Protein backbone atom coordinates (compact mmCIF):
# COMPACT_ATOMS: atom_id res chain seq x y z
CA UNK A 1 0.00 0.00 0.00
CA UNK A 2 1.54 3.26 -1.13
CA UNK A 3 0.47 6.37 0.74
CA UNK A 4 0.14 9.79 -0.80
CA UNK A 5 2.27 12.63 0.52
CA UNK A 6 0.30 14.86 2.93
CA UNK A 7 3.12 17.22 3.92
CA UNK A 8 5.96 19.06 2.25
CA UNK A 9 8.98 21.04 3.33
CA UNK A 10 9.52 24.59 2.10
CA UNK A 11 12.12 26.99 3.47
CA UNK A 12 12.83 24.70 6.42
CA UNK A 13 9.17 24.65 7.47
CA UNK A 14 6.56 21.92 7.33
CA UNK A 15 3.34 22.53 5.42
CA UNK A 16 0.29 20.58 4.41
CA UNK A 17 -0.09 20.20 0.66
CA UNK A 18 -2.82 22.84 0.84
CA UNK A 19 -0.22 25.31 2.14
CA UNK A 20 -1.04 25.46 5.85
CA UNK A 21 1.98 25.69 8.19
CA UNK A 22 2.33 22.77 10.60
CA UNK A 23 3.91 23.17 14.02
CA UNK A 24 6.39 20.48 15.01
CA UNK A 25 5.65 21.00 18.69
CA UNK A 26 4.69 17.73 20.30
CA UNK A 27 5.04 15.75 17.08
CA UNK A 28 8.06 13.60 18.03
CA UNK A 29 7.28 9.94 18.68
CA UNK A 30 10.41 8.27 20.15
CA UNK A 31 11.24 4.72 19.05
CA UNK A 32 14.31 3.02 20.52
CA UNK A 33 16.58 1.17 18.11
CA UNK A 34 16.93 -1.57 20.73
CA UNK A 35 13.13 -2.03 20.74
CA UNK A 36 13.08 -2.46 16.96
CA UNK A 37 16.13 -4.69 16.66
CA UNK A 38 16.83 -7.40 19.22
CA UNK A 39 19.95 -8.65 17.40
CA UNK A 40 21.67 -8.01 14.09
CA UNK A 41 18.81 -7.99 11.59
CA UNK A 42 16.64 -9.79 14.15
CA UNK A 43 13.59 -7.60 14.53
CA UNK A 44 11.08 -7.49 17.36
CA UNK A 45 7.90 -8.04 15.36
CA UNK A 46 5.74 -7.96 18.49
CA UNK A 47 7.00 -4.47 19.33
CA UNK A 48 6.54 -3.34 15.73
CA UNK A 49 2.96 -4.66 15.64
CA UNK A 50 2.16 -2.72 18.82
CA UNK A 51 3.84 0.38 17.38
CA UNK A 52 1.69 0.08 14.27
CA UNK A 53 -1.46 -0.25 16.39
CA UNK A 54 -0.51 2.85 18.36
CA UNK A 55 0.16 4.84 15.20
CA UNK A 56 -3.14 3.67 13.69
CA UNK A 57 -4.96 4.92 16.81
CA UNK A 58 -3.36 8.35 16.26
CA UNK A 59 -4.56 8.20 12.65
CA UNK A 60 -8.14 7.63 13.84
CA UNK A 61 -7.83 10.81 15.96
CA UNK A 62 -6.44 12.80 13.03
CA UNK A 63 -3.06 13.25 14.77
CA UNK A 64 0.30 13.23 13.04
CA UNK A 65 3.80 12.48 14.35
CA UNK A 66 7.30 11.89 13.13
CA UNK A 67 9.22 8.87 14.31
CA UNK A 68 12.22 9.95 16.37
CA UNK A 69 14.61 6.98 16.44
CA UNK A 70 16.67 6.74 19.61
CA UNK A 71 20.23 5.62 18.79
CA UNK A 72 20.75 3.48 21.90
CA UNK A 73 22.97 0.69 20.58
CA UNK A 74 26.59 0.45 19.50
CA UNK A 75 26.79 -0.50 15.84
CA UNK A 76 27.28 1.17 12.49
CA UNK A 77 24.94 3.47 10.62
CA UNK A 78 24.13 0.78 8.05
CA UNK A 79 22.75 -1.57 10.70
CA UNK A 80 20.80 1.29 12.27
CA UNK A 81 19.43 2.32 8.88
CA UNK A 82 18.39 -1.27 8.10
CA UNK A 83 16.49 -1.43 11.40
CA UNK A 84 14.68 1.86 10.75
CA UNK A 85 13.92 0.80 7.19
CA UNK A 86 12.34 -2.38 8.58
CA UNK A 87 10.39 -0.27 11.07
CA UNK A 88 9.16 1.94 8.21
CA UNK A 89 7.98 -1.17 6.33
CA UNK A 90 5.98 -2.29 9.36
CA UNK A 91 4.21 1.06 9.72
CA UNK A 92 3.92 1.73 5.98
CA UNK A 93 0.14 2.06 6.07
CA UNK A 94 0.07 4.53 8.98
CA UNK A 95 -1.08 7.86 7.59
CA UNK A 96 -0.22 9.42 10.97
CA UNK A 97 3.54 9.20 10.24
CA UNK A 98 4.91 12.43 8.74
CA UNK A 99 8.39 10.98 8.49
CA UNK A 100 11.51 10.07 10.46
CA UNK A 101 14.03 12.07 12.44
CA UNK A 102 17.74 11.73 11.69
CA UNK A 103 19.69 11.04 14.88
CA UNK A 104 22.81 13.17 15.35
CA UNK A 105 24.87 9.95 15.52
CA UNK A 106 24.29 9.36 11.80
CA UNK A 107 24.06 12.97 10.61
CA UNK A 108 27.08 12.57 8.32
CA UNK A 109 25.36 9.58 6.65
CA UNK A 110 21.96 11.27 6.42
CA UNK A 111 21.83 11.03 2.59
CA UNK A 112 22.14 7.22 2.76
CA UNK A 113 19.53 7.03 5.56
CA UNK A 114 17.02 9.23 3.74
CA UNK A 115 17.55 7.40 0.45
CA UNK A 116 17.00 4.00 2.09
CA UNK A 117 13.83 5.06 3.93
CA UNK A 118 12.45 7.02 0.96
CA UNK A 119 12.85 4.11 -1.46
CA UNK A 120 9.37 2.80 -0.68
CA UNK A 121 8.10 5.71 1.41
CA UNK A 122 8.34 8.78 -0.80
CA UNK A 123 5.76 10.55 1.37
CA UNK A 124 8.16 10.90 4.31
CA UNK A 125 9.73 14.17 5.39
CA UNK A 126 12.94 14.04 7.44
CA UNK A 127 13.93 16.02 10.51
CA UNK A 128 17.10 16.54 12.50
CA UNK A 129 18.08 18.69 15.44
CA UNK A 130 20.08 21.66 14.26
CA UNK A 131 21.68 22.27 17.62
CA UNK A 132 21.10 21.77 21.33
CA UNK A 133 18.15 24.15 21.09
CA UNK A 134 14.86 23.04 19.62
CA UNK A 135 15.73 24.22 16.10
CA UNK A 136 14.96 21.59 13.53
CA UNK A 137 16.23 21.13 10.00
CA UNK A 138 13.73 19.64 7.59
CA UNK A 139 14.42 17.67 4.42
Amino acid sequence: MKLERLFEVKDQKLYTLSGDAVSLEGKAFPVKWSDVEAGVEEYNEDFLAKLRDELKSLEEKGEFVFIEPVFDKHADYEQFTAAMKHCARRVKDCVSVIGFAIPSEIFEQRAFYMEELSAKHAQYCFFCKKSAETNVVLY
Side-chain angles (χ1 to χ4, degrees):
M1 174 179 191
K2 197 169 189 176
L3 296 179
E4 295 296 318
R5 181 176 277 261
L6 298 177
F7 301 94
E8 63 183 341
V9 176
K10 290 184 198 172
D11 301 321
Q12 294 300 311
K13 293 190 172 141
L14 186 66
Y15 295 91
T16 62
L17 291 183
S18 60
D20 298 324
V22 177
S23 170
L24 297 178
E25 183 101 11
K27 300 277 190 227
F29 193 95
V31 173
K32 290 181 183 179
W33 178 10
S34 60
D35 287 339
V36 173
E37 183 184 62
V40 177
E41 294 188 27
E42 181 184 319
Y43 303 113
N44 184 341
E45 299 299 340
D46 184 51
F47 169 79
L48 292 167
K50 288 176 184 171
L51 174 63
R52 182 188 172 278
D53 290 345
E54 199 168 347
L55 293 169
K56 288 303 254 180
S57 73
L58 292 176
E59 183 180 316
E60 291 169 6
K61 297 176 197 172
E63 296 178 13
F64 298 93
V65 296
F66 63 90
I67 303 293
E68 185 171 28
V70 177
F71 199 96
D72 66 344
K73 292 175 65 168
H74 296 286
D76 65 24
Y77 73 92
E78 290 174 328
Q79 184 179 337
F80 170 79
T81 300
M84 290 306 115
K85 185 176 180 178
H86 186 79
C87 178
R89 280 196 298 263
R90 292 296 173 255
V91 301
K92 69 182 177 208
D93 66 335
C94 296
V95 175
S96 62
V97 178
I98 299 167
F100 276 68
I102 304 166
S104 60
E105 293 88 348
I106 65 155
F107 184 76
E108 296 300 318
Q109 294 83 21
R110 68 189 175 279
F112 173 76
Y113 175 78
M114 292 187 303
E115 183 179 316
E116 287 292 302
L117 270 68
S118 295
K120 293 196 175 191
H121 310 284
Q123 79 275 15
Y124 285 162
C125 296
F126 292 91
F127 309 80
C128 65
K129 299 269 184 185
K130 190 173 184 181
S131 64
E133 298 95 50
T134 57
N135 294 335
V136 173
V137 176
L138 299 157
Y139 298 94

